[in-house]
Amino acid sequence: MKICMLTPRFPFPENGGDVLRLNSISRYLKSKGHTLVLVSFTDYDNSDVSSAKAIYDKVYVIRRNKLGSLLHGVLHMLSGKPLQCGYYWSSSYLRLLTDVIEKERPDMYVSHLLRMSPYLEKLGLQAKSVVEMTDALSKTYSMSQGAKGWSVNKMAYFFERSLIAKYEDKVIADFPKVVLVSQADVDYLAQRNERSDSLCVHTNGVDCLSSPSPSYVKEKIVFVGNMRTLQNQDAVFRFVNEIFPKVLKVCPEAKFHIVGAQPPANVQALASDNIIVTGYVEDLESEISDACLAVAPVHIAAGIQNKVLVAMGCGVPVILTSLISKAIPELVDGDNCFIRDDSDEFADVCVRLMTDSHCRDNVAQSGHQTVLRGYSWNDKLEGYEKI
């Protein structure tokens, strides 16, 4: 079968959970013998097409016009449509896709994220399409109002949340299959949709499954996440402002590493003797596998957090909030992770892992085994081609 993948962001480098998931799905489909055609926006003239061709049989890209994106985004919002769908709407992309369809004759289509499905609607291709929704964005956007402070992202989420909720419902009604990464998100969307039989779950997996390292830097704490998102920025600032000072009182040599692409100016400004802002790293596994622990103080989220799976897969113990723990039913507090919402308790566990090597190693080993037993990408994507 020839499958056409529509994506709003060129999937290389793999600097975010969205493109990592897209490429993992594509690798899985490729392993099942399918032919893949990528039709993608790019923000750069020098996109790494050669890397993409290692997965995709045909690669078609078009440069996104940023001014046009802003204009279409505003016009969509004013007309009661999601801003993000307008932001990624382009007549040039539509023409490219139309030409690709005529040339390649795909059998099926996958819309990567909700924002690309308007193209499939415009061309009347819903019946032959799967929408890789990934997360219930309306859920995340509602939670975002709890983020401290004010930002452009938070303001956009405020105006977008009702529009995206309506569009989610429309897509669920109009497309035969909509894929999400957690049962919690399926349940959330099913509550307000009579036709929920289109919803299905294929959760995330992880490729870094190296054994826990017997040696690690006991002062090193890591946070992993694409820093362009409000939810990751909020988590980092919560840790830096509410948790890390308590850790430093007991462990003054502690170093907090913020590992993730596109850190905005306010995150970069956190850099100090005790806080390292790495930006994008080529080899994520080597960057975090020598850490004493990983933290995920996330209070705005939907779906499943790759940062948790990646750290556990690298043999690094994780402290996370109860909100994001629910997406991974195998997590057991005190066994394969620590689940803490209170800042004081969160800091106490950080100190415990940094000072008690026996506890740290036991949790690291148990977490690694949890991922090893059932969280490879192939395990979690099994049957994806059948939808």
Side-chain angles (χ1 to χ4, degrees):
M1 182 181 294
K2 185 177 284 190
I3 305 171
C4 181
M5 317 290 285
L6 285 67
T7 182
R9 194 157 72 92
F10 194 74
F12 288 91
E14 292 184 335
N15 58 2
D18 56 343
V19 294
L20 175 62
R21 178 170 173 83
L22 171 69
N23 285 341
S24 297
I25 292 169
S26 298
R27 289 186 182 99
Y28 173 81
L29 294 173
K30 185 82 171 175
S31 74
K32 297 298 181 179
H34 299 292
T35 299
L36 303 180
V37 178
L38 175 69
V39 185
S40 177
F41 277 115
T42 180
D43 288 334
Y44 310 100
D45 290 326
N46 58 341
S47 295
D48 190 1
V49 174
S50 60
S51 293
K53 286 184 175 179
I55 305 174
Y56 304 95
D57 298 275
K58 296 288 184 67
V59 177
Y60 297 90
V61 296
I62 189 165
R63 181 75 179 266
R64 186 169 63 85
N65 183 310
K66 294 183 180 180
L67 183 59
S69 291
L70 291 171
L71 177 61
H72 282 297
V74 172
L75 291 175
H76 268 61
M77 186 175 69
L78 292 175
S79 64
K81 300 175 183 176
L83 184 152
Q84 64 177 266
C85 290
Y87 192 75
Y88 287 97
W89 180 261
S90 160
S91 56
S92 297
Y93 185 98
L94 181 62
R95 285 194 297 270
L96 173 62
L97 178 60
T98 303
D99 291 342
V100 169
I101 291 171
E102 184 176 347
K103 180 179 180 181
E104 301 291 346
R105 302 292 181 186
D107 301 294
M108 291 293 295
Y109 301 85
V110 175
S111 167
H112 180 228
L113 305 179
L114 207 62
R115 60 197 64 162
M116 302 307 287
S117 51
Y119 292 101
L120 299 171
E121 291 177 329
K122 180 72 173 179
L123 297 174
L125 295 170
Q126 294 96 317
K128 300 173 69 176
S129 301
V130 171
V131 177
E132 174 57 45
M133 189 182 289
T134 304
D135 299 328
L137 289 180
S138 56
K139 182 180 178 182
T140 301
Y141 290 177
S142 294
M143 291 179 181
S144 70
Q145 300 313 302
K148 296 184 177 180
W150 197 252
S151 67
V152 172
N153 279 352
K154 185 175 179 179
M155 183 170 63
Y157 286 6
F158 176 79
F159 289 109
E160 180 83 334
R161 58 182 178 175
S162 61
L163 300 178
I164 207 70
K166 291 178 183 177
Y167 191 60
E168 284 172 339
D169 296 345
K170 184 178 188 304
V171 166
I172 291 167
D174 292 349
F175 284 80
K177 285 298 174 184
V178 176
V179 185
L180 294 114
V181 299
S182 81
Q183 186 60 45
D185 280 15
V186 168
D187 295 341
Y188 173 82
L189 293 171
Q191 289 176 1
R192 63 174 199 241
N193 285 279
E194 292 183 3
R195 191 198 158 216
S196 58
D197 59 312
S198 62
L199 300 171
C200 61
V201 177
H202 278 282
T203 193
N204 284 348
V206 66
D207 286 327
C208 25
L209 295 169
S210 55
S211 298
S213 173
S215 60
Y216 58 89
V217 181
K218 68 177 183 179
E219 299 87 8
K220 185 174 181 178
I221 303 170
V222 297
F223 175 90
V224 180
N226 193 310
M227 293 312 303
R228 76 178 186 276
T229 69
L230 175 64
Q231 44 268 50
N232 283 335
Q233 294 167 22
D234 180 69
V236 161
F237 280 106
R238 284 179 186 270
F239 186 80
V240 169
N241 294 328
E242 301 175 14
I243 301 169
F244 197 42
K246 299 178 175 70
V247 175
L248 289 173
K249 285 182 179 179
V250 184
C251 303
E253 300 302 315
K255 309 287 185 186
F256 180 44
H257 294 244
I258 303 169
V259 183
Q262 300 180 30
N266 59 346
V267 173
Q268 294 180 44
L270 295 173
S272 66
D273 290 342
N274 292 97
I275 300 176
I276 295 90
V277 183
T278 70
Y280 170 70
V281 295
E282 287 284 349
D283 188 347
L284 181 60
E285 184 175 353
S286 65
E287 184 69 31
I288 67 176
S289 60
D290 65 343
C292 179
L293 65 139
V295 295
V298 178
H299 290 265
I300 303 168
I304 189 171
Q305 298 292 302
N306 278 356
K307 57 178 62 64
V308 175
L309 295 176
V310 168
M312 291 171 66
C314 289
V316 177
V318 181
I319 312 171
L320 69 162
T321 56
S322 58
L323 171 67
I324 60 174
S325 71
K326 296 171 184 175
I328 307 174
E330 296 86 354
L331 292 183
V332 179
D333 179 39
D335 176 31
N336 52 13
C337 69
F338 284 99
I339 302 170
R340 296 291 187 274
D341 293 318
D342 179 77
S343 296
D344 289 337
E345 294 179 1
F346 204 112
D348 288 344
V349 176
C350 289
V351 171
R352 180 180 174 187
L353 291 173
M354 296 173 72
T355 57
D356 185 343
S357 61
H358 181 69
C359 172
R360 186 264 176 201
D361 292 345
N362 283 345
V363 175
Q365 189 65 243
S366 181
H368 181 261
Q369 288 299 314
T370 299
V371 173
L372 194 64
R373 282 193 295 266
Y375 275 89
S376 71
W377 277 110
N378 279 346
D379 287 332
K380 293 306 177 186
L381 294 175
E382 183 64 36
Y384 194 103
E385 75 281 5
K386 295 176 184 177
I387 64 175

